[in-house]
Amino acid sequence: MKKELRFAFVIILLVVFQVSSQEKEIITKEEAIARALENNFGIKIARNQVEIAENNQGILNSGYLPRLRGQAGAGYDLNDRLTEPEDRENVDQKGIESNRYNASINVDYTLFDGLGRLYNYKSLKEQYDLSQLEARETIENTILQLMSVYYEIARLTQNIEVLQDVLETSQERVTRAQYQFDYGQTNNLAVLNARVDVNNDSINLLETRQQLHNTKRDLNVLLDREIIDKEFVVDTTVGFIPELQLEAFVEEAALNNVSLLQIEKNLNISDYDIKISKSGYLPTIDLTGSYGWNRNRSAATAFFPGSTTTTDGISAGVSLNWNLFDGGGTSVRVQNAKINYENQELLKKQIELEVKRNIANAWGNYQNKLYIFRVQEENVTTNQDNFERSEEQFKLGRITSIEFRQAQVNLLDAQTSLNLAKYDAKLAEMELLQLTGQLLNIKL
């Protein structure tokens, strides 16, 4: 009786799950990627870094614009003064006031700085391009992570469909065994075995559903959705890119791989660093100009009357500064910049080898996964045919329930293996697309 109650409870749970799965929100692959690009925290940070780099490479940070400064000041003095002439009486003055006022506008402009400003401006342009490549790498990695979770949801969804079919078949087997037992055509052992299989199938289905719910929460977090338990379904269809097109992508990988493009930008930046350091050997020419106004009011003294003086006017000048010897600092900076450039060249060679290896591995892995997927398709067809024949033979009483169950398990394993192989092959394809620099250019 207890077993029957547990069995009924499991069935009720499955029915509840089935009802709750109806009319859910559908999230397509394109919609998931669009939401990730809009809401993912890592992508937002990467875009902010690009914005910072864009600000840095603008004209306002170039050093080519003049500097304009305004200055103003005021002063007040209150003094007591005692004057003691030799041939006259002493003059004692109390509370002598004097005032000073000044204001000026100054302009400074560096006409020539040894070309350091020019190379720094070009370096900032390269750094902006580099930040865009880094943001692109972040987006590619996020999409790979996103789609691995997305396809895991799709795999579990299809597994649940398979497990539901298995459970329905097992339930029919329980009913059939019970009828046969009631009419004396079999013993109670067949009924018990059938119920055990139903319980096992129910447990597998419940566990798979729980895995699906957990994975859906992972996707909700990746998409920055406020309700992490919000239900939805995904698109389980998968298409593969033609092999000839993939081969063309592999041949052009050196021109599109994001890691190789980044190291090229770093090489350019290092080259500009050398030129910026060398600018310390050359003189700088500065232009200055100003307009000033001054007003001074002084109190009378024993010998001079009080006066107020006001002056205003403009001034301009040019100056040349040439640091003929700075203690070797410029020379050290140049040497270090050259060493850094050499390191970037070595790193480029290393990255080129690693990218070639990774693409070769990814290409082989993709072909292997795709072959496994094709074989699993054939395997499912074979096991489906075997199951249908076994089911027919079982109904006719020509094979035992154990043999029928084995055919059922074989079909289940083949179908779930097919689901796994399909999405593994697609993820392998996406990894290959990322390495060839085409992940953001292909419709998934």
Side-chain angles (χ1 to χ4, degrees), residues 166-402:
V166 171
L167 179 59
E168 289 176 3
T169 301
S170 296
Q171 289 170 342
E172 292 175 359
R173 184 174 142 219
V174 169
T175 302
R176 181 180 183 84
Q178 186 64 51
Y179 283 152
Q180 290 176 334
F181 174 73
D182 292 341
Y183 289 99
Q185 297 177 356
T186 185
N187 56 34
N188 193 39
L189 182 61
V191 178
L192 294 177
N193 287 336
R195 287 179 176 175
V196 168
D197 291 337
V198 166
N199 288 336
N200 289 334
D201 293 340
S202 301
I203 291 171
N204 290 336
L205 181 56
L206 286 173
E207 289 180 344
T208 305
R209 285 189 183 279
Q210 185 59 47
Q211 293 175 14
L212 177 61
H213 290 316
N214 293 344
T215 311
K216 284 184 177 181
R217 293 187 188 99
D218 293 338
L219 186 62
N220 282 331
V221 171
L222 286 175
L223 298 180
D224 189 26
R225 307 179 85 187
E226 294 183 358
I227 305 175
I228 64 172
D229 285 318
K230 188 172 183 180
E231 274 297 325
F232 59 88
V233 294
V234 299
D235 181 9
T236 59
T237 59
V238 168
F240 294 96
I241 298 173
E243 185 172 340
L244 289 177
Q245 189 175 0
L246 284 176
E247 290 177 351
F249 291 159
V250 170
E251 292 177 358
E252 298 176 354
L255 302 176
N256 300 307
N257 179 271
V258 68
S259 296
L260 293 176
L261 294 175
Q262 285 179 349
I263 193 61
E264 285 293 339
K265 292 299 177 183
N266 282 321
L267 270 173
N268 294 338
I269 292 172
S270 297
D271 184 50
Y272 285 131
D273 288 342
I274 295 174
K275 295 176 180 178
I276 292 170
S277 299
K278 286 183 176 180
S279 67
Y281 290 129
L282 300 177
T284 60
I285 300 175
D286 295 316
L287 301 178
T288 59
S290 67
Y291 169 79
W293 175 85
N294 293 274
R295 181 186 181 92
N296 294 315
R297 184 178 68 82
S298 59
T301 67
F303 306 100
F304 297 98
S307 64
T308 299
T309 304
T310 302
T311 61
D312 65 303
I314 61 174
S315 62
V318 59
S319 63
L320 183 145
N321 297 293
W322 198 339
N323 198 350
L324 299 178
F325 181 70
D326 63 352
T330 299
S331 177
V332 171
R333 286 191 292 272
V334 172
Q335 292 175 13
N336 289 341
K338 288 181 178 179
I339 294 173
N340 185 60
Y341 183 83
E342 182 180 351
N343 287 339
Q344 293 296 327
E345 287 185 318
L346 294 173
L347 185 59
K348 179 182 178 181
K349 294 179 180 179
Q350 178 184 353
I351 291 177
E352 286 176 341
L353 289 175
E354 291 177 350
V355 169
K356 288 181 181 178
R357 178 204 62 194
N358 293 340
I359 289 177
N361 290 344
W363 177 250
N365 185 51
Y366 169 70
Q367 289 182 315
N368 185 57
K369 297 289 186 182
L370 192 61
Y371 174 77
I372 292 174
F373 170 59
R374 303 304 183 196
V375 172
Q376 290 293 353
E377 284 184 318
E378 297 178 1
N379 196 26
V380 167
T381 301
T382 302
N383 278 278
Q384 182 68 43
D385 182 57
N386 178 63
F387 172 75
E388 290 174 356
R389 292 186 179 186
S390 298
E391 186 177 29
E392 181 180 351
Q393 294 294 316
F394 176 69
K395 290 179 180 179
L396 295 175
R398 295 177 181 176
I399 63 173
T400 65
S401 61
I402 295 177

Side-chain angles (χ1 to χ4, degrees), residues 50-227:
V50 172
E51 188 174 351
I52 291 174
E54 184 177 10
N55 292 335
N56 289 338
Q57 59 104 34
I59 189 65
L60 297 178
N61 193 47
S62 66
Y64 279 104
L65 298 180
R67 295 174 295 277
L68 182 64
R69 295 175 291 111
Q71 292 180 321
Y76 173 78
D77 296 325
L78 179 62
N79 300 300
D80 295 334
R81 180 185 296 151
L82 176 62
T83 305
E84 299 178 348
E86 293 182 356
D87 56 350
R88 296 173 56 187
E89 293 183 0
N90 293 346
V91 179
D92 188 6
Q93 295 175 296
K94 303 292 186 179
I96 300 174
E97 295 181 344
S98 61
N99 306 90
R100 300 179 305 279
Y101 305 96
N102 65 84
S104 65
I105 297 178
N106 306 281
V107 178
D108 302 305
Y109 184 71
T110 300
L111 186 63
F112 180 76
D113 67 343
L115 299 178
R117 176 176 53 185
L118 172 64
Y119 294 128
N120 183 65
Y121 184 61
K122 292 183 177 180
S123 177
L124 291 173
K125 293 286 187 183
E126 295 290 337
Q127 291 176 31
Y128 170 68
D129 294 338
L130 177 61
S131 69
Q132 287 186 312
L133 291 172
E134 291 171 345
R136 170 187 153 185
E137 184 178 30
T138 300
I139 291 173
E140 289 179 350
N141 292 334
T142 301
I143 289 177
L144 275 180
Q145 181 188 12
L146 172 72
M147 295 312 298
S148 66
V149 177
Y150 187 94
Y151 284 135
E152 178 65 7
I153 294 174
R155 184 185 73 85
L156 291 172
T157 299
Q158 291 196 302
N159 282 356
I160 286 175
E161 294 174 358
V162 172
L163 290 170
Q164 285 175 337
D165 290 339
V166 171
L167 179 59
E168 289 176 3
T169 301
S170 296
Q171 289 170 342
E172 292 175 359
R173 184 174 142 219
V174 169
T175 302
R176 181 180 183 84
Q178 186 64 51
Y179 283 152
Q180 290 176 334
F181 174 73
D182 292 341
Y183 289 99
Q185 297 177 356
T186 185
N187 56 34
N188 193 39
L189 182 61
V191 178
L192 294 177
N193 287 336
R195 287 179 176 175
V196 168
D197 291 337
V198 166
N199 288 336
N200 289 334
D201 293 340
S202 301
I203 291 171
N204 290 336
L205 181 56
L206 286 173
E207 289 180 344
T208 305
R209 285 189 183 279
Q210 185 59 47
Q211 293 175 14
L212 177 61
H213 290 316
N214 293 344
T215 311
K216 284 184 177 181
R217 293 187 188 99
D218 293 338
L219 186 62
N220 282 331
V221 171
L222 286 175
L223 298 180
D224 189 26
R225 307 179 85 187
E226 294 183 358
I227 305 175

